[in-house]
């Protein structure tokens, strides 16, 4: 195949563009895009109090949210409402553990020894 006949100026411009693109790729690898902010812990907690399991859905745990919605609701209804406080407390403890495990945020006093 014959040489397309690029001039020296065109070859230099292509080399400069390739060098610039390599610099941009290196900078993007050093400074990745900013991560999404984590969802509000307190909004999820309050939603869990209003409707069982919805707070799990706000942190992206749809399976756990649906499990708490149906299983926790069924357990509370089957017990005639007497287990409702226990279900809510256990769900909130589970929500706290899931949030801490997923986002690495610990709530409470920081300097307890």
């Amino acid at each position: 195949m014959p040489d397309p006949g690029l001039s020296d100026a065109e070859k230099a411009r292509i080399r400069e563009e390739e060098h610039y693109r390599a610099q941009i790729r290196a900078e993007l690898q050093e400074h990745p895009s900013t991560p999404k902010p984590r969802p509000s812990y307190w909004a999820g907690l309050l939603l869990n109090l209003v409707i069982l399991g919805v707070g799990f859905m706000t942190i992206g745990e749809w399976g756990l949210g649906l499990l708490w919605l149906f299983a926790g609701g069924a357990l509370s209804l089957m017990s005639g409402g007497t287990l409702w406080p226990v279900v809510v407390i256990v769900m909130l403890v589970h929500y706290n553990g899931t949030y801490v495990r997923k986002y690495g945020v610990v709530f409470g006093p920081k300097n307890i020894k």
Side-chain angles (χ1 to χ4, degrees), residues 39-108:
S40 171
Y41 172 84
W42 298 106
L45 187 93
L46 289 174
L47 284 170
N48 273 331
L49 289 173
V50 174
I51 301 173
L52 282 178
V54 175
F56 283 96
M57 296 175 195
T58 63
I59 63 173
E61 299 292 335
W62 283 86
L64 290 174
L66 291 173
L67 178 75
W68 275 109
L69 180 66
F70 293 115
L75 184 63
S76 295
L77 289 174
M78 287 175 21
S79 70
T82 57
L83 287 181
W84 179 258
V86 175
V87 169
V88 170
I89 290 170
V90 171
M91 182 202 47
L92 292 178
V93 170
H94 185 214
Y95 172 77
N96 183 55
T98 303
Y99 193 92
V100 168
R101 187 172 47 259
K102 188 168 184 173
Y103 296 106
V105 179
V106 178
F107 297 96

Side-chain angles (χ1 to χ4, degrees), residues 21-31:
R21 289 184 180 134
Q23 282 180 329
I24 295 298
R25 276 193 295 281
E27 287 177 11
L28 287 175
Q29 288 176 352
E30 289 176 14
H31 306 289

